[in-house]
Amino acid sequence: MTTNQSRPIQVTFVVDAWGQAAGGVWPHLALKLDGTTIGQATVASATAGRYSVTALVAPDTAHSLQLVYDNDGQKNGEDRNLFVRSVTVNGQTIAATDASVRYDKGAVDGKDVVKGQEALYWGGALNVALPATLFPAPTPIATRSTDIVVNAWGTSAGGVPPHFKLLIDGKAVGEAKVAATDSAAYAFKVDVDPTQAHRIQIQYDNDGVVNGQDRSLHVGSIAVNGTVIQATAPTVTYDKGALDGRDVVAGQTGLWWNGTLGFAVAREIFAAPVAALPAAPKPDRGNTGNVSSDRPPLAGEVSTISWGADRGLAPQHLFWESVPDYASAAHMKETRELAASHEAAGVLPVIGLQSWEDTMEYSLPGGQFANLAGHKAWVAWVQAHPQYLGRDAQGAIHHATAADPYGWGYVSPLMPLDAKDAPAGWTGGTAHYADWLADKLGRLAAHTGTRGFEFADFYDGSPHSGVMNSFNTRMIAEFSAKSGITVAGSTLVQQAADIRANHPTEYLDYFVDGWAYGWKALDEAIVKHTGKPAWLSTQVSFTPAAMREYAGVDVRVLGETMNLKDILFNVQTLERFEMQHKQAPASYEQAMLGLHAARAPEGHYGHMLSSSENDYWGAVDSLYAGVAGTAARDELGWGRLEQTWLQSGWTNILDADGGIRRAAESWSRSYHDWGQVEESWLSLLRDIVPTRSFGPALYYSVNAERAMNALEPTGNDIGNAYLGELLTPVTKLHDAGVPFGTYVSDAALPSVTAANAPSAWIIPQRSYNGKDLFTDAEINALKATAPVLVGDEAIGYRHPLSFTDKDPDAQITGYGFYDQSDRLIVVASDRVDFDDTAARKAVATHVELSLKDGHYRVEDLIHHTSQSFDVLGGSGGFDTTIARWDTGVYAITADLSV
């Protein structure tokens, strides 16, 4: 075996800064590393904010970071200034006043240099010397010899056969001349990193015509360690001409032009085989972002906001043709180079798309965004098109005031447009605002060299008005035409009242379909203008029922409308605890992820969850005030994080094909992946892959969700959707020790057999105000495969896994599953409670299991100890001690040596 050399490492730089505007223009900050610009930002806030950029950096080397303030000035008596509190590099924070920081005032020429300071009253640069210790090289990874066989044949021209190079991740590792005219095997042996997925590429490089003979190469398939992948498989692409990602089509056998046939090969094919029971075959879950349920990447390894391309809030992007930076040749050259460097590193460059409730107010004359060109154009467009603005059920423009008559300035994607406002060249009948958005943003992606967009507020679903308070006479007319429903009334107020009273569920269906169409239109526009697959990501901030009923987003409907391989649903579970300081337990984060992924298992789900950063620790201080002492509260905070990550990280779902997979396919450490967690947690989570369930499963029914919606169709409150805002019917069972980590919905129910059925079905909520939300048919379908437990019935039930202790103040929670090596994995946590005190102690715990009779070995994967136990009469267990607020992970295998 050999080891590979250290490669550039991906490093995140986070600047904690705020600004003071002059003439409506905010301070601009550029980040330079060793003299090369790696990112930039407009610091458009008078309160401290975090501005992050990710770059590839040489490891084990000292570097020089410059924070360049480049637009100092005064206007109308206002003085523009930049304030920098600190910069965080690889998790280590360096204050602007640190002894290692210098402030080069004025021209960055090294002449007027003083000690570092927070207030940059003059243009210039904060120079930060970064030691090599901040950039440790990753531990060299052992490589394995891998057999690759290319099955190919060719047509010669002028006596010269076709030639190809074999590339691994863009690096040439072999070559061959293909003289065979029938399929022949061209074998290679290559050293690769077996812990990573790789891209195997066949680069045909001598296409030509000689005396009327057309030279061509044909590739039928490749075999990697015996696994065959056809050239026409869905994960294969053909990059025609230069290997530049510009002219890319689906994989094909005949290579009629020079070009590169690329095969995305999963990590498992390179890894050593494991002795495991055969699992149900997994469907092809390929996706543009290469997220994976087997080995989830961090969000920053999937996509990144590309700082030359992203110029602020949504108006700057929707009206990008008015923004000077996008017309600057120098700026765009740097922008495209930066985007290309991200993509070359395997990270997709994207642009953020977000507005706030006060964005229009601040864009009006005198506001802090008033002098930004995109915001000016947006205000002018809204002023010229008031007929498109959304209104509430009383007919008022959403949140309009005397000072801001346009309120949010919000136009729904569902809004039918006048013909004159349709995109240029539009031929598709009535255009909608979704089509206008798609055209603008698709062309922006092509202009900047980016691949898609990251949706947040106002673009991740219908905003805070809620579906049942979002109207416009144009939309009502279209709803009536599409549904065949005659809406009573001659005014918007009358029509809205009729819809809310008599047709709420049909109007919701109209809204959900409209949002799905909008994302499909954007996906297709990006592909049309860039020639590459699109990548969209959107935050999912509410429960599954509330996302549909409040935000108009339903992943099942999206799956019927667009290609879900191009979109990631980031289940955002930190806001209730971190930002709103609500008593959302750690189990809420697990439940949100499991329910969303199970409800529509065809989707791809990331998990944006709590991590170590200022907002998290502020919530810990606020909500756990009974734990006295900084050390004890820090212990509790880290304990809660460990519970959150380990119990959420192995949460799993049943796919529609009957296979078990991890619910999360990527992880984000808080917003924008800017938080911190223990690397050991990530390694453990990735090394253990759920393949079979053990114990009961939590069942989610869309039929019940719809039944409850019919009972509460117009409440316009996320709290009255099925299971409530904080999923209390689910979390109270988990927090009482009911051992479930598998989530299943009616989408996967037809695939349940005796072989993959859980030990019991848990229905967290069956009724609402005395009304049964389930049909007899659905209950009977569940009972045909396993017992059905409703609510608290699951607490007293004898499950195959249980935890007992003698501490009245403690409760051990957790669940079990089988991994890829057929080990039974048990994760167990000492529950963190909001009324805890520093008097809490370690918990002596007994873990009881129902298994086949025999002798078993237990390995503590956290503390690296082991013990054994016997199972007699189908029951047995082991004892362990879990430190207060801590989590244990145990691997249990049959001891065949006895």
Side-chain angles (χ1 to χ4, degrees):
M1 299 180 75
T2 62
T3 58
N4 55 12
Q5 298 297 315
S6 292
R7 297 171 290 182
I9 58 175
Q10 186 166 283
V11 176
T12 298
F13 301 83
V14 181
V15 179
D16 192 350
W18 65 99
Q20 182 175 305
V25 177
W26 289 87
H28 181 267
L29 169 69
L31 268 71
K32 292 188 175 185
L33 189 69
D34 301 328
T36 300
T37 301
I38 59 173
Q40 50 189 307
T42 297
V43 183
S45 175
T47 57
R50 295 164 65 90
Y51 301 83
S52 65
V53 64
T54 300
L56 291 174
V57 177
D60 289 337
T61 303
H63 295 277
S64 175
L65 180 68
Q66 285 184 309
L67 285 65
V68 182
Y69 170 34
D70 56 15
N71 70 333
D72 183 50
Q74 297 180 341
K75 189 168 184 180
N76 300 328
E78 296 175 323
D79 187 5
R80 186 180 306 115
N81 294 302
L82 175 66
F83 301 87
V84 177
R85 176 173 294 147
S86 64
V87 60
T88 300
V89 182
N90 258 354
Q92 181 166 324
T93 299
I94 303 169
T97 55
D98 188 86
S100 65
V101 180
R102 292 292 181 268
Y103 178 20
D104 190 344
K105 297 193 292 183
V108 184
D109 54 11
K111 294 181 179 180
D112 187 6
V113 180
V114 298
K115 292 189 298 183
Q117 60 189 59
E118 287 190 352
L120 307 191
Y121 294 119
W122 305 270
L126 283 179
N127 295 324
V128 187
L130 303 176
T133 53
L134 285 178
F135 309 98
T139 303
I141 299 172
T143 61
R144 166 172 284 110
S145 181
T146 299
D147 292 319
I148 300 174
V149 178
V150 179
N151 296 299
W153 65 100
T155 302
S156 298
V160 178
H163 174 271
F164 73 84
K165 294 177 183 175
L166 179 68
L167 288 73
I168 306 290
D169 300 327
K171 180 180 179 181
V173 295
E175 60 181 334
K177 292 180 179 179
V178 183
T181 56
D182 290 317
S183 183
Y186 296 82
F188 304 85
K189 191 173 286 289
V190 182
D191 288 337
V192 300
D193 175 359
T195 68
Q196 301 291 327
H198 296 280
R199 190 162 187 81
I200 295 179
Q201 299 158 304
I202 300 168
Q203 191 172 70
Y204 172 37
D205 58 9
N206 69 333
D207 183 49
V209 178
V210 180
N211 299 326
Q213 295 178 313
D214 187 1
R215 186 181 303 117
S216 58
L217 175 66
H218 299 263
V219 178
S221 63
I222 66 170
V224 183
N225 287 342
T227 298
V228 176
I229 306 173
Q230 299 295 328
T232 54
T235 56
V236 180
T237 60
Y238 178 24
D239 191 343
K240 295 191 289 186
L243 181 55
D244 55 10
R246 293 182 177 178
D247 189 6
V248 181
V249 297
Q252 58 191 58
T253 298
L255 308 190
W256 311 111
W257 307 270
N258 280 341
T260 304
L261 200 62
F263 295 76
V265 184
R267 173 186 64 86
E268 292 81 5
I269 295 176
F270 297 100
V274 294
L277 295 180
K282 292 184 178 180
D284 177 15
R285 289 188 50 78
N287 59 88
T288 301
N290 291 321
V291 296
S292 167
S293 59
D294 282 352
R295 194 172 180 85
L298 293 172
E301 298 168 335
V302 177
S303 64
T304 186
I305 299 292
S306 197
W307 285 111
D310 187 296
R311 306 311 299 143
L313 294 175
Q316 293 283 93
H317 303 145
L318 299 180
F319 295 89
W320 61 272
E321 289 140 320
S322 301
V323 176
D325 281 346
Y326 292 124
S328 165
H331 176 82
M332 291 313 302
K333 179 177 182 295
E334 188 175 18
T335 290
R336 296 187 188 103
E337 288 174 350
L338 186 58
S341 71
H342 288 312
E343 195 153 1
V347 179
L348 295 177
V350 297
I351 296 172
L353 202 64
Q354 176 183 29
S355 283
W356 301 322
E357 288 85 346
D358 54 9
T359 300
M360 173 57 77
E361 176 187 349
Y362 290 158
S363 300
L364 294 173
Q368 65 186 53
F369 302 141
N371 289 327
L372 295 177
H375 288 257
K376 283 184 179 179
W378 176 48
V379 170
W381 191 91
V382 169
Q383 289 173 334
H385 301 86
Q387 70 272 28
Y388 299 145
L389 292 174
R391 295 174 179 268
D392 61 25
Q394 288 71 47
I397 293 172
H398 288 133
H399 290 261
T401 65
D404 174 16
Y406 310 106
W408 292 337
Y410 180 71
V411 180
S412 170
L414 287 74
M415 186 63 61
L417 301 180
D418 295 332
K420 64 182 178 61
D421 294 323
W426 179 260
T427 59
T430 299
H432 294 76
Y433 189 61
D435 301 304
W436 185 92
L437 287 171
D439 175 70
K440 288 275 191 176
L441 297 175
R443 289 189 291 111
L444 176 60
H447 186 64
T448 55
T450 51
R451 295 288 297 276
F453 294 86
E454 184 178 288
F455 302 137
D457 302 4
F458 280 69
Y459 295 89
D460 56 358
S462 190
H464 309 310
S465 59
V467 171
M468 286 301 149
N469 203 31
S470 184
F471 297 98
N472 182 286
T473 54
R474 290 168 175 258
M475 291 167 52
I476 292 173
E478 184 177 68
F479 161 67
S480 180
K482 287 186 172 183
S483 65
I485 293 172
T486 300
V487 180
S490 58
T491 67
L492 182 145
V493 174
Q494 293 169 342
Q495 292 174 339
D498 184 56
I499 289 172
R500 288 166 61 89
N502 301 309
H503 316 293
T505 56
E506 295 89 349
Y507 190 68
L508 176 58
D509 288 341
Y510 161 72
F511 238 85
V512 168
D513 290 343
W515 268 93
Y517 170 80
W519 283 348
K520 173 191 176 186
L522 177 55
D523 181 56
E524 293 176 346
I526 294 169
V527 174
K528 171 185 173 182
H529 290 289
T530 67
K532 298 181 180 181
W535 184 243
L536 308 174
S537 66
T538 182
Q539 68 177 5
V540 177
S541 302
F542 306 137
T543 66
M547 280 303 298
R548 173 182 168 85
E549 297 163 22
Y550 195 69
V553 174
D554 186 329
V555 180
R556 287 196 187 183
V557 175
L558 279 160
E560 298 166 357
T561 307
M562 67 176 287
N563 192 340
L564 291 182
K565 73 179 182 62
D566 293 342
I567 187 168
L568 180 72
F569 300 93
N570 265 319
V571 183
Q572 188 267 93
T573 59
L574 58 95
E575 182 176 2
R576 299 294 179 270
F577 176 74
E578 284 197 22
M579 310 305 292
Q580 299 177 0
H581 289 200
K582 292 185 177 180
Q583 290 193 352
S587 56
Y588 164 80
E589 303 207 36
Q590 172 199 338
M592 271 279 284
L593 172 67
L595 291 172
H596 274 288
R599 184 187 182 279
E602 66 272 29
H604 296 280
Y605 298 88
H607 193 189
M608 186 188 301
L609 63 168
S610 294
S611 304
S612 176
E613 41 93 15
N614 290 341
D615 290 328
Y616 174 77
W617 292 107
V620 170
D621 289 342
S622 171
L623 294 171
Y624 294 100
V627 178
T630 301
R633 203 171 297 168
D634 283 353
E635 182 186 351
L636 179 146
W638 280 106
R640 178 183 166 117
L641 280 183
E642 186 177 30
Q643 291 185 29
T644 300
W645 276 80
L646 295 184
Q647 295 220 18
S648 297
W650 286 307
T651 294
N652 54 84
I653 66 166
L654 186 69
D655 258 325
D657 72 327
I660 288 289
R661 67 171 176 85
R662 194 193 314 255
E665 295 175 70
S666 72
W667 292 310
S668 180
R669 298 163 296 186
S670 189
Y671 298 108
H672 307 295
D673 201 27
W674 64 30
Q676 297 293 319
V677 297
E678 295 288 346
E679 286 295 325
S680 60
W681 305 347
L682 296 175
S683 296
L684 189 62
L685 286 168
R686 286 171 171 155
D687 288 344
I688 298 174
V689 183
T691 59
R692 287 193 292 141
S693 62
F694 180 79
L698 195 290
Y699 182 72
Y700 186 87
S701 170
V702 167
N703 300 318
E705 170 194 293
R706 300 289 178 86
M708 184 158 174
N709 178 229
L711 297 172
E712 289 276 6
T714 59
N716 210 47
D717 184 341
I718 58 176
N720 60 20
Y722 183 53
L723 299 181
E725 179 185 4
L726 297 180
L727 300 173
T728 302
V730 179
T731 61
K732 79 168 187 176
L733 298 178
H734 177 278
D735 291 351
V738 179
F740 62 90
T742 298
Y743 290 73
V744 183
S745 79
D746 53 296
L749 188 56
S751 70
V752 176
T753 64
N756 65 2
S759 62
W761 296 108
I762 299 171
I763 295 177
Q765 179 181 357
R766 180 168 177 177
S767 63
Y768 179 72
N769 286 345
K771 302 285 187 179
D772 196 340
L773 303 175
F774 284 75
T775 64
D776 290 341
E778 189 168 11
I779 294 295
N780 290 336
L782 292 170
K783 287 181 176 179
T785 55
V788 174
L789 308 174
V790 177
D792 290 352
E793 292 175 356
I795 297 175
Y797 191 77
R798 181 178 174 82
H799 296 286
L801 168 64
S802 62
F803 309 103
T804 56
D805 65 81
K806 296 181 179 179
D807 185 341
D809 295 325
Q811 173 63 62
I812 302 300
T813 71
Y815 58 89
F817 61 90
Y818 286 96
D819 74 353
Q820 74 274 25
S821 298
D822 203 40
R823 301 181 300 177
L824 174 58
I825 304 296
V826 172
V827 53
S829 302
D830 175 32
R831 185 185 69 202
V832 178
D833 292 331
F834 290 106
D835 59 358
D836 277 343
T837 69
R840 286 287 309 280
K841 300 184 183 302
V843 184
T845 303
H846 179 74
V847 181
E848 185 73 8
L849 296 156
S850 296
L851 296 168
K852 291 182 180 179
D853 286 3
H855 189 69
Y856 289 83
R857 178 181 175 84
V858 182
E859 183 181 0
D860 184 329
L861 299 180
I862 302 291
H863 302 101
H864 306 292
T865 60
S866 62
Q867 59 176 298
S868 299
F869 70 95
D870 293 310
V871 173
L872 299 173
S875 296
F878 62 94
D879 294 324
T880 187
T881 297
I882 299 176
R884 64 178 183 180
W885 307 311
D886 204 0
T887 295
V889 181
Y890 310 93
I892 299 151
T893 54
D895 190 348
L896 302 180
S897 65
V898 177

